[in-house]
Amino acid sequence: MNRFACYVLRYEMKHLSRTFNLLLQRLILLAVFLIAWWQGSQHLPAFVLPGPAATWQALLVLWQSESLLHDIGATFSRVVSGFVLAALVGTLFGLALGASQRVALFFEPLLAVFNTVSSAIWAIFAIIWFGISDATTIFVVFMTAMPLILTNVWQGAQNVDAQYVELARSFRMNRWQTLRKIYLPTILPYFFSGARLAFGFGWRVSLVAETLGSSDGIGYRLRQAGDLVQTSQVFAWTLLLVSLMLLLEGGLLKPLERRLFRWKKRA
């Protein structure tokens, strides 16, 4: 066996060991959480804190429900619609603010207002303007996610090296080429950081909006279960939501981030 093969073997063994240790830590953390949950459920009424077994039974009932996929799809489509609109508007306005200091100074107070107003207030406005409809949740997700993406893209545009921009001009690059080859590599990490944060917030605020202004979706089902004091159903929907978020985070967002920024590890 040559040196290169030995090096590859050692690297793979080290990677497997690191993965195994991480998995073991996660399993220990899960076991501690389940034990603490079970112990707490033994000293409290079931309508206050149902145990893991009762929650699992409620989760099985949800899994067999005919409306489960519809509710998940309704919430997901609203979150994605609001997030895509926020990404488009936030990126365009972030680039505009980063390209012009005068524009940034003019609109900065408005951005502070957007960041100050809570999602609950936007939800109330949305119900007044749009009533009980998909537009209510989409609007709340948009107004929550857009300022986060805008701020991050603006910060990224400010960090673009002016020497690179001058170099692009000296090579007579047009605006599209300058944006794609100079601005985009610098802005992309900032955009992705803001987008991940905005998407997580979008999921959470969508539940608030759905509890107030929707007739289906995960938030609506949570409110329905809460009104009927079906605490095990509330816990089951919560576990389902957390599982979906972890699946999106570990199965889509993190691999996409590693793929987009693999050049940073080589640099």
Side-chain angles (χ1 to χ4, degrees), residues 89-144:
V89 175
T91 300
L92 291 175
F93 275 91
L95 288 172
L97 295 180
S100 174
Q101 189 174 4
R102 289 184 178 180
V103 174
L105 289 174
F106 183 80
F107 284 103
E108 189 173 5
L110 188 60
L111 183 60
V113 171
F114 287 153
N115 285 321
T116 301
V117 177
S118 70
S119 301
I121 296 177
W122 290 126
I124 294 173
F125 282 132
I127 292 173
I128 295 172
W129 294 334
F130 306 113
I132 298 178
S133 65
D134 290 350
T136 297
T137 304
I138 293 172
F139 175 79
V140 175
V141 172
F142 170 80
M143 294 305 299
T144 302

Side-chain angles (χ1 to χ4, degrees), residues 2-152:
N2 55 37
R3 291 184 177 180
F4 178 74
C6 291
Y7 174 78
V8 171
L9 181 61
R10 285 198 301 269
Y11 175 80
E12 290 181 351
M13 292 296 294
K14 187 176 181 180
H15 179 71
L16 287 173
S17 177
R18 196 160 46 227
T19 304
F20 176 77
N21 289 334
L22 181 62
L23 180 61
L24 183 61
Q25 292 174 12
R26 295 291 186 268
L27 290 175
I28 293 173
L29 181 62
L30 178 61
V32 171
F33 171 75
L34 289 175
I35 292 172
W37 181 9
W38 178 77
Q39 284 289 337
S41 67
Q42 299 301 304
H43 298 86
L44 293 171
F47 70 88
V48 175
L49 182 62
T55 303
W56 175 253
Q57 290 297 323
L59 195 58
L60 292 178
V61 173
L62 288 183
W63 188 257
Q64 297 171 358
S65 172
E66 296 180 356
S67 63
L68 175 64
L69 293 179
H70 171 76
D71 289 320
I72 294 175
T75 298
F76 187 76
S77 64
R78 292 163 187 158
V79 172
V80 171
S81 298
F83 174 76
V84 170
L85 286 174
L88 291 174
V89 175
T91 300
L92 291 175
F93 275 91
L95 288 172
L97 295 180
S100 174
Q101 189 174 4
R102 289 184 178 180
V103 174
L105 289 174
F106 183 80
F107 284 103
E108 189 173 5
L110 188 60
L111 183 60
V113 171
F114 287 153
N115 285 321
T116 301
V117 177
S118 70
S119 301
I121 296 177
W122 290 126
I124 294 173
F125 282 132
I127 292 173
I128 295 172
W129 294 334
F130 306 113
I132 298 178
S133 65
D134 290 350
T136 297
T137 304
I138 293 172
F139 175 79
V140 175
V141 172
F142 170 80
M143 294 305 299
T144 302
M146 187 271 293
L148 294 172
I149 296 176
L150 191 157
T151 302
N152 278 49

